[in-house]
Amino acid sequence: MKRLLNVVYVSQPDCYLALKGHNLNIMQEGNSLGRVPLHNLEGICTFGHQGASPALMAYCMENNINLTFFSSSGRFRGRLTGTVNGNVTLRKTQYAISTNETESAKIARHMIIGKIYNSEHILRRTMRDHALRVDTERIQYSIVQLREARAKLLTCEELDTLRGIEGNAASAYFSVFDECILHQKDVFYYKGRSRRPPKDEINALLSFAYALLAGEVAAALEGVGLDAYVGFLHRDRPGRVSLALDLMEELRPIIAERFVLKLINRRQLNATDFIKKESGAVLLTDDARRMFLKKWQEEKQEKMTHPYLKEKIVWGLVPHVQALLLARFLRGDLDAYPPLLVR
């Protein structure tokens, strides 16, 4: 199993990344803000437009350090990686299945089952822990709809049908997502999904969390030798990490959405942590983004018992474990891909 190493997040948008010896040198207006040894890093994430030196990029590629670029608002822009691990047989299997919609649907349905099950988990926890503060009848009705959707997926072998079931399940889940927001309802509320740009505070947080998760899942897939750009549910599109989007479906509720709800319900964010643009876009401030990233990293160090492996791991290892299980299934070592089903 791949060891979870450190990831450095450079959140200041005006920083330039350079190489100094075997260290990451963070530069701002020609001055060094700090240096980080590169020998124990797994990845570097930078937010802004200044970029990185060719020497640093070459070092990262040679030493398999993922260098991921985000815009200052947190949108994923691209990732630089070195030589991809794995063998050609695994990738040929992936490509062959991707061109066969029936076989693709058999894999994708397990990921969507995981997504729906974990969405149920979020709603069940909210109803259990805050029964006197939420509309339990509405939540219970949505849970029933999600269970019915899961049952339909068990025999689904067509991608279009699968997408329809997933879309209906997502609508049922997000119809009561606002019930999971317990504090500062005048600031944080969910009325619908908006992105590129997000139009309210909750969508700004969700978009940021999804972007971080997508980058980590893509890196995990490449780490086991899979092509993050060739998916099963999400079809090929230039520049889109389709397989990463497939795999993160089951992780969205239990990692990204749970994390955002935790920040809000613990009152770790408020109205002053956001900037509203004339265009209607709502973005995190620099300080709020730094706090978000700090809490994200801390959350990744929390331990959980993996339901399939029956082993304790940190949350940050979950994308790597699921990528490994997917690779083992494609190699024929497992009868089916086991999605993460949190209990």
Side-chain angles (χ1 to χ4, degrees), residues 1-7 38-43 64 66 85 219-220 223-224 300-301 313-321 324:
M1 186 168 62
K2 183 173 181 178
R3 179 170 175 258
L4 184 66
L5 301 177
N6 295 325
V7 176
L38 287 164
H39 67 273
N40 64 345
L41 289 186
E42 182 188 39
N64 292 315
N66 293 305
N85 299 322
V224 299
K300 286 167 61 178
Q301 300 305 315
I313 60 172
V314 294
W315 273 103
L317 266 179
V318 167
H320 297 281
V321 170
L324 180 60

Side-chain angles (χ1 to χ4, degrees), residues 140-292:
Q140 185 58 48
Y141 180 70
S142 293
I143 290 175
V144 170
Q145 289 179 293
L146 293 176
R147 288 174 180 166
E148 291 174 351
R150 276 199 291 125
K152 292 178 182 177
L153 286 171
L154 294 175
T155 56
C156 180
E157 295 187 354
E158 295 182 0
L159 283 178
D160 286 341
T161 304
L162 190 153
R163 293 188 185 103
I165 296 172
E166 186 276 333
N168 291 335
S171 296
Y173 169 61
F174 279 110
S175 71
V176 292
F177 190 73
D178 196 60
E179 292 288 338
C180 301
I181 303 171
L182 305 175
H183 299 292
Q184 304 180 86
K185 301 285 283 189
D186 57 327
V187 178
F188 299 104
Y189 50 86
Y190 186 84
K191 302 302 182 184
R193 187 77 177 106
S194 63
R195 54 182 180 175
R196 300 179 185 177
K199 298 293 187 179
D200 55 50
E201 289 79 358
I202 188 70
N203 275 290
L205 295 173
L206 288 173
S207 292
F208 194 17
Y210 291 154
L212 291 172
L213 182 58
E216 294 181 6
V217 172
L221 288 166
E222 291 172 354
V224 299
L226 291 168
D227 189 336
Y229 290 85
V230 179
F232 305 122
L233 176 64
H234 295 83
R235 310 312 288 171
D236 296 347
R237 182 184 297 174
R240 182 169 74 175
V241 284
S242 297
L243 186 60
L245 296 179
D246 287 356
L247 189 61
M248 71 178 279
E249 288 288 357
E250 68 200 64
L251 306 181
R252 283 174 183 260
I254 206 62
I255 294 183
E257 290 150 22
R258 184 179 66 115
F259 175 74
V260 167
L261 289 172
K262 186 181 292 187
L263 287 182
I264 294 172
N265 291 334
R266 291 182 177 179
R267 302 177 187 270
Q268 293 173 317
L269 291 167
N270 56 55
T272 63
D273 291 314
F274 298 86
I275 301 171
K276 295 187 177 181
K277 300 287 187 178
E278 292 183 1
S279 63
V282 177
L283 307 174
L284 282 161
T285 65
D286 290 344
D287 288 341
R289 187 168 60 248
R290 282 192 286 270
M291 187 277 290
F292 190 107

Side-chain angles (χ1 to χ4, degrees), residues 74-119:
R75 183 178 177 183
F76 178 75
R77 295 167 60 194
R79 185 179 57 262
L80 181 73
T81 61
T83 303
V84 178
N85 299 322
N87 58 64
V88 67
T89 304
L90 175 62
R91 288 196 164 214
K92 287 178 70 175
T93 301
Q94 177 190 355
Y95 298 150
I97 293 176
S98 179
T99 59
N100 186 318
E101 291 203 0
T102 300
E103 293 302 314
S104 291
K106 291 178 182 178
I107 299 176
R109 73 185 180 194
H110 287 275
M111 297 171 177
I112 300 304
I113 285 172
K115 176 183 182 178
I116 295 175
Y117 184 92
N118 291 333
S119 298

Side-chain angles (χ1 to χ4, degrees), residues 296-309:
W296 179 268
Q297 284 294 84
E298 291 175 357
E299 189 76 9
K300 286 167 61 178
Q301 300 305 315
E302 295 292 325
K303 290 189 176 181
M304 56 92 71
T305 300
H306 194 281
Y308 181 79
L309 299 180

